[in-house]
Amino acid sequence: MMPYRLVESEAFKALMDYAVPRYELPSQHFFPEKPSQPSTSMLKSASSMHSGNLVLHLFLNRNPQVKSAQKTLEIRGKSAGHMLHHVNIGLKVKQCVHQIPSITMEASIQPITRTVLRVRLSINPDFKWNDQVHGTVGEPWWIWVEDPTNDHIYHSEYFLLQKKQVVTKEQQFLVFTIPIFEPLPSQYYIRAVSDRWLGAEAVCIINFQHLILPERHPPHTELLDLQPLPVSALGHREYEMLYKFTHFNPVQTQIFHTLYHTDTNVLLGAPTGSGKTVAAELAIFRVFNKYPTSKAVYIAPLKALVRERMEDWKVRIEEKLGKKVVELTGDVTPDMRAIAEADLIVTTPEKWDGVSRSWQNRSYVQKVSILIIDEIHLLGDERGPVLEVIVSRTNFISSHTEKTVRVVGLSTALANARDLADWLGIGQMGLFNFRPSVRPVPLEVHIQGFPGQHYCPRMASMNKPAFQAIRSHSPAKPVLIFVSSRRQTRLTAIDLIAFLATENDPKQWLNMDERERKRRYSENLKIAMVI
């Protein structure tokens, strides 16, 4: 509880001396001897001096049968006043109790693997805000997860409950992961303790009695020591000319036969940079070879990725192979004739969901023979339901048209690949889930921690180390820096430019000659003047 406000008053001192035992108050020797009971004048004086927390403390000490402030909520105001021999003071006690920070918590759990549990914690404020008591910012809390059997803490974090959230009774959510062990414990405790108020805490119990863990998953697919397959294995000179390399990498070599020579559904889980786009092209080439009148659909999660594929495939597949490639997104919607003539449709999940709903009236949907879903691990994200509907509808269309539609899912390395493969109808032959360490280009990881609690100062403190890391590890090659907002993108870019300005060669990151740079500047200046 926050420190009491001490006021130099004889009535106040006498009241304190009556209610607080000697061993609780170091300054007791300044107070007069304890009277038999508090007088009405003492209570009136204490009430008039805005000592609400003091009044509550006096009430709890005067009435030991009331175990806590929470119990005081159940007592009517007049009853509390009668206990203190002053009827009007009871309402003051009730007001003080409602101002003590209190929250209620509910937790929902979801096992990700047999050893990792995701917890979604909902937090509801349950007290009245008073600027004189709580300030104008927020009430800080510490939240942790503990195992009562061995007193281990598996997760802890600092949580600030904002004033606006308390006033509007806005529900807050925390999502985090914790480890679990077998045999399962009976329960975990989620404990929330106020950082400023003694005794202000809440407990939520996570019960594992009815928790169903996922099945034990088979190990990752082992990368076989195979002789690299030459691109001549494609058997078509046109396809071979599309690639600048002469041999497929180890991952592509291992999956080549399944993708290019069978119609089996495939789930490919492999790290970024392992050549999953080439794997998608192998499946598309099989459609061009075996089912020339059919269509292939490639679904990317973002419009930016769709545009990237279109820029590449417009040249390599449409111009060099003579196959019609069509973009189908919210920004680009070609006419029905262009879609009907297309051999390859590149689209987003939401757009294809809307298009395939009227599959009975759209013949081009019925002509689809392969559905390639990139980043299929996003099934567990917010857009997951859209992907679920697309796959389910594809299977439904296939059953009604009696035409098998092949499904190829591309993903990063998965923890539960077997579950996803079963849902996609993939047997052992079509499941390839390589370890995250299986990379054609070795990955070197450097980790640096930053202790700042608040987002903006912490991000500002990371810009200089990021600049130094670029100079050390990638001075001449492309670099990706991930931040969480568009505003932070600008702030980080401005800082990097400022750091460059202090270097001997401020233009070291401009990979263009002076004439090209001036031409770009003039074009951008013209666009800015028009706007």
Side-chain angles (χ1 to χ4, degrees), residues 182-193:
E182 296 185 72
L184 287 176
S186 58
Q187 57 191 12
Y188 281 174
Y189 290 162
I190 301 179
R191 194 178 300 274
V193 177

Side-chain angles (χ1 to χ4, degrees), residues 319-390:
E319 294 182 7
K320 295 184 178 181
L321 296 183
K323 301 293 184 179
K324 183 70 174 178
V325 183
V326 169
E327 177 182 351
L328 188 60
T329 62
D331 297 338
V332 180
T333 304
D335 56 27
M336 298 294 294
R337 182 178 178 180
I339 299 177
E341 295 176 353
D343 298 293
L344 174 59
I345 300 173
V346 186
T347 182
T348 58
E350 290 78 10
K351 192 65 178 180
W352 188 250
D353 176 35
V355 167
S356 61
R357 288 180 184 181
S358 304
W359 62 273
Q360 298 95 334
N361 303 323
R362 291 171 175 164
S363 58
Y364 61 87
V365 177
Q366 301 177 27
K367 291 182 179 179
V368 173
S369 61
I370 185 171
L371 183 69
I372 302 172
I373 305 176
D374 199 1
E375 310 291 348
I376 198 172
H377 58 270
L378 294 179
L379 272 169
D381 205 357
E382 295 178 354
R383 306 169 75 184
V386 180
L387 293 176
E388 288 189 35
V389 169
I390 289 174

Side-chain angles (χ1 to χ4, degrees), residues 46-62:
S47 177
S48 64
M49 288 183 286
H50 305 286
S51 50
N53 290 327
L54 167 66
V55 174
L56 175 60
H57 185 86
L58 300 182
F59 176 75
L60 296 177
N61 278 273
R62 183 74 177 87

Side-chain angles (χ1 to χ4, degrees), residues 15 39 138 155 158 164 180 221 237 246 288 304 314 319 344 425 428 502 518:
L15 184 58
S39 64
H155 176 82
Y158 181 85
K164 179 182 178 181
I180 52 176
T221 304
R237 184 63 178 170
T246 58
F288 293 164
K314 272 288 186 180
E319 294 182 7
L344 174 59
Q428 193 60 41
T502 62
K518 289 182 178 180

Side-chain angles (χ1 to χ4, degrees), residues 108-128:
S108 60
I109 56 178
Q110 177 188 1
I112 299 177
T113 66
R114 294 186 70 87
T115 58
V116 179
L117 190 71
R118 181 166 62 184
V119 180
R120 179 180 173 87
L121 182 67
S122 63
I123 302 173
N124 296 283
D126 190 23
F127 63 99
K128 293 183 179 179

Side-chain angles (χ1 to χ4, degrees), residues 162-174:
Q162 303 283 352
K163 172 185 174 181
K164 179 182 178 181
Q165 298 164 355
V166 177
V167 173
T168 59
K169 301 293 183 182
E170 181 182 351
Q171 190 177 37
Q172 301 300 304
F173 294 96
L174 292 179

